[in-house]
Amino acid sequence: MKRNRLIAGAVCAAVAGTLTLTACSDGGDGASDGGDKEITFMFRGGPDEKAAYEAAIKKYTEDTGVKVKVIVTDADQYATKLQAAVAGNNVPDVFYIEQASLQSYVSSGVLADITEQVDASGIDLDNIWPYGVDSYRFDGTLQGTPDGKLYGLPKDVGPFSFGYNKTMLEAAGIPLPDKDVPLTWDEFVDISKQLTVDTDGDGAVDQWGTGLNVQWNLQSLVWSNGGDWTNEDRTEVTVDTPEFADALQKFADLTNVDKVTPSASDAATLDTYQRWMAGEIGFFPVGPWDVSVYNDLDFEYDLIPWPTVGDGGTATWLGSLGIGVSATSKHQDDAVKLVTYLSTDADAQQTLVDANIQIPNLIDMAEAWAAEEGAEPANRQEFLDIAQDYGRAMPAAFTYGAEWYDELWTNIQPVLDGKQTAADYLAEEQPKMQSLLDESNATAEQAAAGN
């Protein structure tokens, strides 16, 4: 992921409990330049995203007269920097919200309820991806429900699609996959075996069928096999099942049995993302945030549905970032207007989409975008199918914290190395994850009771 230098922001301790907060603004009335109003907007991203947002915000300022101070961080620093700003009573007026952070920021009094202002704005929420809007709704008990109060709007939705190196398959004489019908797992493994070869004859494999990451790609296998991380109300961990174990075992077998993906030692030399970029991998995930880079690669790629392990149909996750307003911003109305502008204004959306960093939030715009002649990738419709039809929230997206979910990955390497079976590992992890989920739900109940 491309990183960008921190331009501004406070660095203090992490947020904890209910805080007395002040917005990040200059002076009691926000005046910073001859009385001109200024609000702050904090977000994360690389150069492409920063440039796109600066262009969109420039037009917002021209239209409204409200100046916006931009604070941008690297993606891997954002959560820490925002928590530090909260703990330091220096909350930006407008800022990105991680799905998994929403409940804690609501209970801590950080996020403003913007339901009434959005309703009064006349925005057609029906023309925005429902998953994107509902991700920032919270009814005090459950997040992601259509009836909850609105604490933000989607910066984007992130459909995590599956790509393939079209140039590589054509060179190998392999028929291209159907863009509408997912490969079965056996078909996927068979093609991957055909692509895994020693191209220069030195006795070492230098072209691989695939190269997946367990933390970001296991979800597809588990869901398509009928498994899941929790029950529907997110109170019971369900990883210790035959369906889940079969999916995890198949993932590990890609390296140890099928030998179609680089081993840990191979990846230490050159990771699978770099190998994909170099044209050395046949199948690899693709998110909308990758398109600006992938469209400049030296090979042609396209999107297909994720392969299916069982009878659950193709499956993948659908992410999102939100944009929210500080509950103590001195410029609530202007801050909400900036949020609605960035999330729903057609011109602003066009600026962000043209930068190839996301799909449009507006459904009608997205449909036109997907149908554009000469689109790259050609099957943009796959992104929309995920957003509309079969994308799912990440397992910890709507729980109070992700420690229970992160526990699964802590000691998983022996499974990936073929030294422990998936079933044995999951039997060990189930009670650990359940204990952490119980703690998470208890904390959520306490926070709701004290709010």
Side-chain angles (χ1 to χ4, degrees), residues 93-99 101-118 132-145 147-154 321-327 332 336 339 451:
D93 296 290
V94 178
F95 54 93
Y96 275 5
I97 317 164
E98 301 276 359
Q99 290 170 303
S101 299
L102 183 130
Q103 292 183 45
S104 63
Y105 282 136
V106 170
S107 64
S108 298
V110 175
L111 276 171
D113 174 0
I114 62 173
T115 310
E116 292 185 2
Q117 289 127 307
V118 172
V133 176
D134 292 345
S135 287
Y136 307 100
R137 292 189 185 276
F138 181 50
D139 65 6
T141 302
L142 288 175
Q143 180 182 345
T145 61
D147 299 326
K149 293 179 180 179
L150 198 59
Y151 291 93
L153 287 174
L321 272 173
I323 313 178
V325 172
S326 167
Q332 288 276 327
V336 173
V339 170
N451 190 25

Side-chain angles (χ1 to χ4, degrees), residues 18-39:
T18 302
L19 304 171
T20 301
L21 306 170
T22 59
C24 182
S25 58
D26 297 315
D29 62 356
S32 61
D33 183 12
D36 290 340
K37 192 182 300 180
E38 180 179 77
I39 59 177

Side-chain angles (χ1 to χ4, degrees), residues 15 42 78 147 165 202 213-214 224 235 262 304 339 351 356 388 433:
V15 62
M42 183 175 178
Y78 179 78
D147 299 326
N165 184 327
D202 66 356
N213 177 291
V214 69
S224 73
T235 59
I304 53 173
V339 170
T351 299
N356 285 320
Q388 186 72 57
M433 296 175 69

